[in-house]
């Protein structure tokens, strides 16, 4: 449902600090990307084997960005093909990665809190962008004071996924969707919903409505870990980025 392209601040500076959990999930699989104790690369390769590794060596730009690490990169598509066919393997991957992702997320929330207080930043609220909040379980959900879900109809979700991944069959795309909690259930559990079924103008109107609702609900909140504001799939950025799939 293209939640990564949505922002709740159209113009001006973002109202919250943003922590991208999906980005953390990508980074922990890249050798050398993060510091000691923050990488899942070796554990994942050990569990799933070298078949998930790229046959091509990392480019010079990749090595430069990742601290000069020469190890082959994990092909996320190959790993995805394995875990989406077998729920037990998906659970294994989650056990390897979710605790690490959670640790890094909380560390960044606390770091922002310390920074904001030290610099007397006016807004100390944090938005955490988590694609699979409900799938992770109750322990993760209880951290957050407010949940915003970006949603669309299941048919739209499938069509957009197929458009973005032309090398995947319809069955493969549907398997990826079926591995997640149904969007309708997430909508029912959300505090605020942004509907993303129509065109860009309608989306901007939805975003602005949600922005006002979020701002009204969180006004005056202090930032402690249990009161972190979660925006599930709604990145609080200063613009709404147009996407070709809309």
């Amino acid at each position: 449902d293209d939640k990564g392209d949505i922002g709740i601040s159209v113009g001006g500076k973002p109202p919250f600090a943003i922590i991208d959990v999906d980005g953390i999930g990508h980074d922990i699989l890249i050798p050398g990307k993060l510091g000691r104790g923050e990488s899942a690369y070796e554990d994942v390769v050990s569990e799933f084997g070298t078949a998930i590794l790229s046959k091509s060596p990392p480019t010079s730009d990749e090595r430069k960005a990742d601290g000069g690490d020469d190890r082959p990169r994990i092909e996320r598509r190959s790993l995805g093909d394995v875990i989406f066919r077998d729920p037990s393997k998906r659970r294994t991957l989650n056990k390897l990665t979710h605790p690490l992702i959670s640790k890094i997320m909380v560390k960044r929330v606390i770091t922002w809190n310390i920074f904001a207080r030290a610099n007397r930043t006016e807004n100390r609220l944090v938005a955490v962008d988590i694609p699979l909040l409900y799938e992770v379980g109750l322990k993760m959900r209880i951290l957050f004071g407010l949940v915003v879900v970006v949603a669309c109809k299941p048919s739209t979700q499938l069509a957009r996924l197929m458009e973005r991944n032309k090398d995947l069959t319809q069955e493969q795309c549907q398997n990826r969707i079926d591995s997640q909690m149904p969007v309708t259930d997430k909508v029912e559990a959300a505090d605020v919903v942004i509907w993303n079924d129509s065109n860009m103008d309608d989306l901007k109107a939805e975003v602005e409505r949600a922005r006002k609702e979020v701002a009204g609900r969180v006004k005056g909140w202090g930032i402690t870990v249990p009161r972190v504001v979660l925006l599930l799939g709604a990145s609080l950025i200063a613009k709404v980025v147009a996407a070709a799939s809309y």
Side-chain angles (χ1 to χ4, degrees), residues 25-31 39-53 71 73-76 78-80 82-83 89-90 92-98 100-101:
H26 281 72
D27 288 349
I28 65 173
L29 295 180
I30 300 175
S39 174
Y41 176 84
E42 292 183 357
D43 289 339
V44 171
V45 173
S46 175
E47 179 66 38
F48 293 96
T50 58
I52 64 171
L53 296 177
R71 286 175 291 179
R73 276 30 180 183
I74 292 174
E75 287 189 341
R76 296 180 62 84
S78 298
L79 180 59
V82 172
I83 65 170
K89 292 186 182 299
R90 187 165 66 248
T92 297
L93 180 65
N94 290 344
K95 288 180 181 178
L96 292 174
T97 59
H98 283 180
L100 185 57
I101 291 170

Side-chain angles (χ1 to χ4, degrees), residues 18-22 24-25 28 34 38 97-113 126-131 133 136 139-144 223 225-226 228-231:
I18 307 161
I19 295 173
D20 178 10
V21 171
D22 197 35
I24 295 173
I28 65 173
L34 300 179
E38 293 188 344
T97 59
H98 283 180
L100 185 57
I101 291 170
S102 298
K103 183 183 78 171
I104 296 171
M105 178 198 73
V106 172
K107 177 182 175 181
R108 292 182 181 180
V109 170
I110 294 172
T111 299
W112 169 253
N113 187 21
V126 176
V128 184
D129 186 346
I130 304 182
L133 172 70
V136 172
K139 289 182 180 179
M140 178 70 78
R141 294 202 299 273
I142 61 175
L143 289 176
F144 303 106
I223 179 169
V225 172
V228 173
V229 179
L230 171 70
L231 290 174

Side-chain angles (χ1 to χ4, degrees), residues 21-218:
V21 171
D22 197 35
I24 295 173
H26 281 72
D27 288 349
I28 65 173
L29 295 180
I30 300 175
K33 182 73 172 182
L34 300 179
R36 183 184 299 273
E38 293 188 344
S39 174
Y41 176 84
E42 292 183 357
D43 289 339
V44 171
V45 173
S46 175
E47 179 66 38
F48 293 96
T50 58
I52 64 171
L53 296 177
S54 173
K55 303 301 185 291
S56 304
T59 65
S60 58
D61 287 342
E62 287 175 334
R63 286 196 297 270
K64 184 177 180 181
D66 304 333
D69 200 299
D70 288 325
R71 286 175 291 179
R73 276 30 180 183
I74 292 174
E75 287 189 341
R76 296 180 62 84
R77 181 57 51 79
S78 298
L79 180 59
D81 287 342
V82 172
I83 65 170
F84 287 118
R85 286 198 309 265
D86 187 339
S88 67
K89 292 186 182 299
R90 187 165 66 248
R91 288 191 294 270
T92 297
L93 180 65
N94 290 344
K95 288 180 181 178
L96 292 174
T97 59
H98 283 180
L100 185 57
I101 291 170
S102 298
K103 183 183 78 171
I104 296 171
M105 178 198 73
V106 172
K107 177 182 175 181
R108 292 182 181 180
V109 170
I110 294 172
T111 299
W112 169 253
N113 187 21
I114 294 172
F115 170 84
R117 291 180 182 276
N119 290 273
R120 298 184 179 180
T121 303
E122 181 179 349
N123 199 334
R124 298 174 183 172
L125 295 173
V126 176
V128 184
D129 186 346
I130 304 182
L132 299 176
L133 172 70
Y134 292 106
E135 289 83 352
V136 172
L138 181 61
K139 289 182 180 179
M140 178 70 78
R141 294 202 299 273
I142 61 175
L143 289 176
F144 303 106
L146 185 69
V147 176
V148 178
V149 168
V150 182
C152 63
K153 293 181 293 188
S155 58
T156 303
Q157 185 180 17
L158 177 60
R160 287 175 175 168
L161 185 58
M162 293 179 65
E163 177 65 25
R164 288 196 303 268
N165 299 275
K166 296 184 183 297
D167 57 327
L168 295 181
T169 66
Q170 180 173 336
E171 181 181 6
Q172 287 174 312
C173 288
Q174 190 62 57
N175 285 342
R176 281 158 168 72
I177 292 173
D178 291 343
S179 72
Q180 303 178 16
M181 178 178 174
V183 171
T184 51
D185 292 348
K186 294 181 180 180
V187 167
E188 204 167 305
D191 297 298
V192 178
V193 179
I194 296 175
W195 286 103
N196 183 18
D197 273 309
S198 188
N199 55 45
M200 200 62 182
D201 288 338
D202 288 344
L203 175 60
K204 287 182 178 180
E206 273 287 287
V207 166
E208 178 60 15
R209 174 194 58 76
R211 184 193 67 79
K212 291 178 178 178
E213 185 172 351
V214 169
R217 290 195 184 200
V218 304

